[in-house]
Every structure is written in structure tokens, then in C-alpha cells.
Amino acid sequence: MSGPERKPDSPKRRLPALAMLPGMVVWYGVRALTQTGVRDVFSRAVGRYTDQRILQAAVDYPTKKELVERYDTTLAGRELPVIEGGVWVDYVADTGDGFSSTYAMAGLISADAVEVDVGGETKRLPAGQLLIMGGDQAYPYASDAEYVRRLRQPFDIAIHHASELDGQR
């Protein structure tokens, strides 16, 4: 199976300097522990009097049609590509808390196939047609900026490098 068509970026595309890539999260560092402590105190003081569902309902006024579309988990009206009567699904969770670990996962996920040993025989498994991401992808606290730094950037670079390798083969 060949994966989605990848077009290499221009050769002049600049990748970020290694020093600019996010390092591993220092879980027991002063900053992380202080932030966690402040969030815990605030949550205990205010959280017991609030319910996320009530707060969300107070600011979200969807129509009935929007609600149905938002929570429709069927595949009605949508078609997925099929291989030999099935759909290949990849699942990944907790992609890592630093550039290196997330980049490693991104490299595996963006590969067209992986080879595994099954009882002494090498099998080639195609890449999933559908990727489901669970768990955390941006540590220690998710924000738009952290998702870009800790998830999207490593994936973009991994796909860029995969495209360059495909062009060399």
C-alpha cells in the first residue's frame, strides 16, 4: 500500500535549529511543581463550586442539527477506503514529552508500512487509513502553542524527512 502522496518542501525550507526544539519535560522541576501546586489550590478553591458541563452549557448554544453533527459517531454519509475488505486503523497515545520521543513516534506513524516478525516470518503491515490519537500529546499543560511545539512540529519535520528519503530512492 502506498500512503498519501507526499510532496517534498522546497530544498530551501529551513528546519528549526536543534536548540529551538522542545526538550523533555522536567516533571520534578521547580516550575512544573509550582504550576501544578497553583492549579491544585485554585481547583480546590473554585472547582468544587463549578461543573465543567454547566460552564460549557453557559457559553455554547448549538442548534439541534449542530448537536447531532457534533456527536454523530456513525459513518453515515462518509466512506473510508477499504483494503481487502477492511480498514486499517492506527492508534497512538502519549506520543512523548520531548522532541526526540515525539519525532520517533511520528516517524513510525508516517511510514508507508512497518515490518514485524510473526513466528519467524516477516510480515509487512500497511499504514493505517485512519489515525486515532489518544492520551496526551502536549505536556505538561496543553495550549495551542504547546500543541504546535510538542506535537505538530515534530510530525511536520518527520514527514518532511520522509518525503526527502522518498525522493532519494
Side-chain angles (χ1 to χ4, degrees):
M1 173 187 130
S2 63
E5 185 69 27
R6 293 193 197 119
K7 295 180 181 169
D9 292 341
S10 114
K12 295 183 181 181
R13 178 177 182 220
R14 294 186 184 266
L15 296 176
L18 188 57
M20 300 303 295
L21 299 173
M24 300 299 282
V25 173
V26 182
W27 290 105
Y28 294 109
V30 173
R31 182 176 179 202
L33 289 175
T34 302
Q35 287 176 337
T36 301
V38 168
R39 287 172 180 256
D40 182 60
V41 168
F42 182 77
S43 174
R44 288 174 189 262
V46 177
R48 70 179 66 157
Y49 303 108
T50 61
D51 183 329
Q52 286 288 336
R53 295 166 295 188
I54 293 170
L55 292 175
Q56 289 171 354
V59 297
D60 188 20
Y61 301 101
T63 64
K64 184 176 181 178
K65 181 181 178 200
E66 289 171 330
L67 274 176
V68 169
E69 289 172 356
R70 186 182 295 175
Y71 299 106
D72 179 11
T73 58
T74 68
L75 294 177
R78 292 174 261 178
E79 289 187 33
L80 293 175
V82 176
I83 294 179
E84 298 175 16
V87 175
W88 284 91
V89 177
D90 284 341
Y91 175 83
V92 65
D94 294 330
T95 56
D97 64 349
F99 176 81
S100 296
S101 52
T102 304
Y103 177 81
M105 294 307 302
L108 289 170
I109 292 168
S110 63
D112 289 337
V114 293
E115 291 183 355
V116 295
D117 185 333
V118 180
E121 183 182 346
T122 301
K123 298 272 187 179
R124 189 169 197 267
L125 301 177
Q129 297 161 299
L130 172 67
L131 173 62
I132 298 174
M133 298 183 87
D136 299 326
Q137 280 86 35
Y139 296 97
Y141 307 111
S143 69
D144 289 344
E146 284 303 290
Y147 272 105
V148 169
R149 283 184 70 234
R150 295 193 174 272
L151 179 70
R152 185 172 174 184
Q153 188 176 42
F155 272 75
D156 285 348
I157 293 170
I159 291 169
H160 172 77
H161 285 154
S163 296
E164 284 184 341
L165 287 175
D166 287 343
Q168 294 173 3
R169 291 183 186 147

